[in-house]
Amino acid sequence: MTTVLIILVRLGGLIALGLGAAFFGKYLPVEGVPLLVHKAAGGLAALALVLLAIQGFSRATFVAILAAIVAAATPAIGIYQQGIADIETVKLVHIAHIVSGLAVLGFAEILAKRIKASRVFAPAR
C-alpha cells in the first residue's frame, strides 16, 4: 500500500507542479482543462499524502501531523490565490503554493521511507 501511495504522490505532484510552472511562466492560460488537470493531480497527491500520514502515524507521529497539515494547506492556498487582486500579494501566495507543493512531495518521501524502515521481518529459519 505504501508503494502505491508514494507513486500516486509522485505522479500527481509532478503533474501538478509541471502545469503550475507552465501557468506561472505564462506558457498556458490559467483556465480550462489544464487548470482542472492541475487541480485533480494536486488533489490526488494531497489525498495520497493524507493516507500516507494515517498509515505512518504510529511510526512517525510528528512528521505525519505536519504532512497532514501541509496536505490540507496546499489546496487551500491554491483556492485562496484565485481571489486575490493585489499583484504583490499574488506573487507571495504563488510562491507559498509552490513551496507547499514541494513540501507535499518531501513529506511523502520521508513518510514512505519511515514506514518501510519500520517494518519488522521475522528471521528466516
Side-chain angles (χ1 to χ4, degrees):
M1 181 73 164
T2 304
T3 304
V4 171
L5 290 174
I6 192 65
I7 289 171
L8 287 174
V9 172
R10 288 173 181 164
L11 285 175
L14 291 176
I15 290 169
L17 281 170
L19 286 172
F23 298 144
F24 192 70
K26 300 191 184 341
Y27 295 110
L28 285 175
V30 186
E31 56 191 30
V33 175
L35 183 61
L36 292 176
V37 173
H38 170 78
K39 288 180 180 181
L44 176 69
L47 179 62
L49 178 60
V50 168
L51 294 174
L52 269 174
I54 291 169
Q55 188 178 9
F57 186 77
S58 63
R59 296 163 185 94
T61 305
F62 184 69
V63 175
I65 291 170
L66 286 177
I69 291 170
V70 168
T74 303
I77 294 169
I79 292 168
Y80 174 71
Q81 75 184 359
Q82 292 177 344
I84 300 174
D86 183 32
I87 292 175
E88 292 301 318
T89 307
V90 168
K91 289 179 184 177
L92 291 175
V93 175
H94 281 312
I95 292 169
H97 188 56
I98 293 167
V99 169
S100 64
L102 291 172
V104 165
L105 292 170
F107 276 117
E109 294 293 336
I110 292 168
L111 277 172
K113 183 177 179 181
R114 291 194 183 180
I115 290 168
K116 288 179 180 180
S118 70
R119 293 185 181 147
V120 178
F121 296 101
R125 293 182 188 204

